[in-house]
Amino acid sequence: MPIQVLSDDLASRIAAGEVIERPASVVKELVENSLDAQSTRVDVHIVGGGAQSITVVDNGHGIPANELATAFERFATSKIDETSDLISIGTLGFRGEALPSISSVARVEAISKHADADAGARYLVDFGKTNAIEPAGAPQGTRIEVSGLFTNVPARLKFLGSAGRELSRIQSMLASLALVYPHVAFSLSADGRERLRTIGSGKLIDAVLGVYGAKIAEQMLELEPGDPAAFSVDGLVSSPSLSRSNRTYMTISVNGRLIQSRRLSYAIEQAYYGFLPERRFPIAVARIQTPLGDVDANVHPAKAEVRFLREDLVYSVVQRAIRGVLSASAPVHELGAGRASGSIGLLRTPGSVSNIGNQSLPADERSASAGFSQWPDPSLISEQSRLLETPTGAESETNSTNTPKETLPVLRVIGQAHETYILAEGPDGVYLVDQHAAHERVMFERVRDRFDENSSESQPLLEPATVDLAPGAMTTVQEYLEDLNRVGWGVEEFGTNSLIVRSVPAALATRASGDGAGQVFLRVLDELREGGSGETWSNRMLASIACHSSVRAGQILSTDECKDLIRQLEQVQRPNTCPHGRPTVIQLNINDLEREFKRR
Ligand code: ADP
Ligand code: MG
């Protein structure tokens, strides 16, 4: 065949294959148009999983009658023009492909009344065949009905799942949009039955309530609003007492655009490291804001993926925000919480009865509630009720100074086990305290408070130590010299790749004397340069100093020393996790013990 330019009709059908894959993609495109039209209500009706019909009704600004036909032409859009900068697009649509694509593979009826018009208009496009515009009575907004999807493309029809499967895709997609747009009231009905409804109050927690229900909404934690000036993330993430067996409960948006990003989902998962058992996943809504020019939305046919200019920065902002709220609210870890099973790990016996009572719950809820009994941590409860009462907007600002302190139960020390764990009795069971993790937490808060007050003490070394640095490490030292000095390190350059350590943070004094000081400095520096985990540099430095000044596993402690450590742990702000987020305390619940011993 000679080279020919494809007819508009054929080109549309080819393009449709990229944009419209299945009923859920039709819903997504139509609803995004409604959102771009400033709607505050969007109602979606589905028949037969969307293959029979999809109707989207909105109350947005509508389409003027004289533009209705144009809206269905290829590359016709009101959202960009020649002068637009393709990189900073604020609307969800911009390519003008959705309506022509959909109407080339379905029968589409559009009824719209523009805000400034007296009457509405109706336009019908039947598998690419256009008709005349007719007047129609209609309220302000747009109603688009798509029926017989793909009946002219049998190949595509074959790839559709059952009506139930397609409906569930639609439902989860619409749920995600409802979470990203809490100020819009969404509803979904399928074959006349309501499937989803949000009230559009503007509060994210209300959207979560509409989408996931009250039980889940109660267990969500609010991300502390970050620095609004630049990159920031807000949203809600599930407390560690709640988890799911797959990743589909993570909703991510960038500048209001719902996106899919394996790397971002992974960043969220990683933030839960140490908080969730393996192969359990959080429920999360993360709404990322970046400068518009920092993301390219024009890299995916369905605009489901975006490209970030500063990818790593986005990941670390997300991770830090989630990690922050998790460590701030972490309850005492119960033994067995680190496993998918709910039994108290060590004592688990075949035929364990500890899951009874939860058997009727679906698998998801069962493992979530069985593994974590509700530790009556007052701070957590007040955190949750606060969350439910206050809007997620600006009024609900929280900062670390008014975050309630975590509490540790009153513990009576029994002794030390395996030269690593302090065994204690508490009000609701037996507690095991990791002596290193606990001491680390104590030391961390001590050095951090000193550092914050600019009153860190420094201990001069009788004999300064010389250290040889790894390639590139000198740059790190120079870059952070001020913080290093502020925390108590006195170092001097000595040749291109060597340093003299003249003084050490007082917290390290007993451990780091003589050559030891140099070794500790190198190790701290190594840990700092490894980075990761989204923590700030100064927090990592403080954590590293805390680590090196703490008792180790394998060190014998007298009962008095154990008591002293527990007493110190009681004083700190966050006694339940070490600075790296690992638990300091694990509880063997008294009820579980009684059950395991068949006392009741
Ligand atoms: P795009 O969204 O990329 O502009 P579409 O094919 O999805 O392209 O829509 C074409 C145009 O039709 C839009 O630019 C918009 O002006 C108009 N339009 C479509 N749906 C609606 C709606 N629900 N409300 C108001 N205008 C709409
Ligand atoms: Mg569109």
Side-chain angles (χ1 to χ4, degrees):
M1 268 193 265
I3 300 174
Q4 291 169 324
V5 175
L6 297 179
S7 74
D8 233 27
D9 176 52
L10 188 51
S12 294
R13 265 190 286 155
I14 291 169
E18 295 213 291
V19 187
I20 305 302
E21 215 191 334
R22 49 182 6 111
S25 12
V26 173
V27 177
K28 179 166 186 279
E29 291 294 338
L30 295 181
V31 172
E32 286 188 345
N33 279 345
S34 300
L35 294 170
D36 278 342
Q38 311 299 324
S39 307
T40 57
R41 277 213 70 81
V42 179
D43 298 305
V44 181
H45 307 279
I46 300 297
V47 179
Q52 275 181 57
S53 81
I54 295 168
T55 309
V56 175
V57 187
D58 70 46
N59 66 352
H61 56 56
I63 309 172
N66 62 354
E67 290 179 17
L68 201 46
T70 319
F72 282 79
E73 275 169 38
R74 281 199 82 203
F75 307 126
T77 179
S78 58
K79 298 169 194 176
I80 56 170
D81 64 16
E82 300 297 326
T83 64
S84 305
D85 173 3
L86 275 183
I87 279 295
S88 20
I89 295 166
T91 51
L92 297 174
F94 53 83
R95 295 200 193 116
E97 280 188 302
L99 294 183
S101 295
I102 298 168
S103 59
S104 71
V105 292
R107 176 185 191 273
V108 183
E109 181 194 56
I111 297 175
S112 191
K113 183 184 141 357
H114 189 257
D116 299 336
D118 297 329
R122 174 177 177 276
Y123 185 51
L124 179 72
V125 186
D126 206 353
F127 294 92
K129 246 186 49 237
T130 59
N131 288 278
I133 306 271
E134 292 167 9
Q140 183 189 318
T142 304
R143 177 185 191 282
I144 295 193
E145 182 176 342
V146 175
S147 45
L149 183 66
F150 295 145
T151 44
N152 65 340
V153 200
R156 204 150 269 279
L157 208 53
K158 270 207 302 249
F159 282 99
L160 294 191
S162 65
R165 186 79 201 92
E166 295 302 330
L167 174 62
S168 111
R169 286 200 165 102
I170 291 170
Q171 185 163 350
S172 76
M173 197 274 309
L174 202 66
S176 300
L177 281 172
L179 292 170
V180 175
Y181 287 86
H183 58 276
V184 177
F186 286 90
S187 79
L188 169 68
S189 73
D191 305 310
R193 240 189 82 200
E194 183 170 299
R195 295 292 180 141
L196 182 147
R197 176 174 293 278
T198 62
I199 59 172
S201 68
K203 298 179 194 170
L204 184 52
I205 190 71
D206 285 335
V208 170
L209 202 83
V211 169
Y212 293 132
K215 252 183 77 183
I216 285 178
E218 267 168 34
Q219 296 186 69
M220 297 296 281
L221 306 168
E222 190 182 350
L223 298 182
E224 307 209 347
D227 175 8
F231 290 78
S232 69
V233 58
D234 78 335
L236 295 167
V237 296
S238 52
S239 97
S241 57
L242 186 68
S243 65
R244 286 291 177 266
S245 57
N246 63 58
R247 295 185 174 82
T248 55
Y249 295 83
M250 291 189 246
T251 303
I252 306 169
S253 73
V254 176
N255 301 338
R257 185 185 299 282
L258 182 66
I259 61 153
Q260 272 154 13
S261 160
R262 286 167 120 223
R263 285 200 59 196
L264 268 172
S265 309
Y266 185 68
I268 296 177
E269 266 172 72
Q270 284 301 296
Y272 277 80
Y273 180 76
F275 286 95
L276 284 184
E278 258 180 70
R279 289 193 301 281
R280 298 295 299 176
F281 303 94
I283 300 174
V285 184
R287 300 188 297 180
I288 300 164
Q289 286 295 327
T290 72
L292 276 184
D294 248 75
V295 288
D296 188 353
N298 198 15
V299 296
H300 186 270
K303 295 164 272 134
E305 282 162 27
V306 297
R307 194 157 41 212
F308 294 105
L309 203 58
R310 283 173 275 184
E311 227 181 20
D312 291 340
L313 180 61
V314 178
Y315 299 122
S316 77
V317 166
V318 170
Q319 225 168 39
R320 197 178 315 141
I322 299 179
R323 197 83 197 157
V325 67
L326 289 177
S327 352
S329 68
V332 169
H333 288 248
E334 227 187 304
L335 200 57
R339 307 157 173 256
S341 100
S343 175
I344 48 172
L346 289 177
L347 300 178
R348 191 184 174 97
T349 48
S352 157
V353 290
S354 48
N355 270 342
I356 287 181
N358 277 317
Q359 286 315 1
S360 58
L361 293 173
D364 265 344
E365 268 75 14
R366 191 156 59 232
S367 49
S369 64
F372 300 74
S373 83
Q374 295 300 308
W375 174 251
D377 178 345
S379 68
L380 192 68
I381 291 162
S382 63
E383 171 76 12
Q384 286 176 355
S385 43
R386 183 188 60 73
L387 190 71
L388 289 170
E389 281 158 20
T390 53
T392 53
E395 306 108 283
S396 67
E397 280 227 352
T398 54
N399 56 50
S400 47
T401 51
N402 66 18
T403 312
K405 181 185 179 303
E406 281 173 20
T407 50
L408 196 68
V410 182
L411 297 180
R412 185 179 70 80
V413 171
I414 300 169
Q416 192 192 25
H418 290 273
E419 296 160 8
T420 301
Y421 306 107
I422 299 171
L423 200 59
E425 177 200 43
D428 293 300
V430 175
Y431 294 77
L432 287 164
V433 179
D434 180 314
Q435 64 191 38
H436 176 66
H439 199 211
E440 239 183 336
R441 165 52 67 184
V442 170
M443 293 309 290
F444 174 74
E445 294 203 4
R446 197 174 293 168
V447 291
R448 183 200 57 196
D449 291 350
R450 287 286 173 103
F451 183 77
D452 288 348
E453 293 160 7
N454 234 329
S455 64
S456 300
E457 282 172 48
S458 177
Q459 172 89 39
L461 294 173
L462 288 176
E463 261 184 64
T466 315
V467 292
D468 296 321
L469 299 179
M474 187 62 94
T475 329
T476 316
V477 175
Q478 286 159 346
E479 192 177 347
Y480 295 107
L481 193 58
E482 202 178 315
D483 278 347
L484 287 167
N485 289 336
R486 187 166 152 199
V487 78
W489 289 105
V491 292
E492 255 171 49
E493 273 182 54
F494 183 68
T496 37
N497 265 324
S498 308
L499 284 176
I500 300 185
V501 180
R502 294 202 178 276
S503 54
V504 300
L508 288 174
T510 48
R511 274 173 196 274
S513 52
D515 275 352
Q519 293 315 307
V520 173
F521 182 78
L522 282 181
R523 240 173 291 148
V524 169
L525 202 60
D526 274 348
E527 283 162 25
L528 290 175
R529 298 182 74 221
E530 276 161 26
S533 84
E535 280 285 344
T536 62
W537 196 86
S538 63
N539 263 352
R540 290 212 309 272
M541 174 179 67
L542 297 168
S544 175
I545 288 170
C547 174
H548 290 287
S549 59
S550 301
V551 297
R552 326 230 125 238
Q555 204 170 325
I556 298 173
L557 300 181
S558 68
T559 306
D560 280 343
E561 284 171 320
C562 292
K563 284 182 184 164
D564 201 42
L565 179 52
I566 298 292
R567 205 182 37 74
Q568 291 178 41
L569 190 62
E570 280 165 2
Q571 311 292 318
V572 302
Q573 199 76 31
R574 310 234 169 278
N576 299 327
T577 47
C578 87
H580 311 288
R582 289 188 293 269
T584 54
V585 187
I586 282 178
Q587 179 200 9
L588 279 107
N589 191 291
I590 189 70
N591 295 328
D592 288 341
L593 287 175
E594 285 182 352
R595 268 201 300 266
E596 296 282 341
F597 284 115
K598 317 272 189 235
R599 290 183 162 277
R600 51 183 182 124

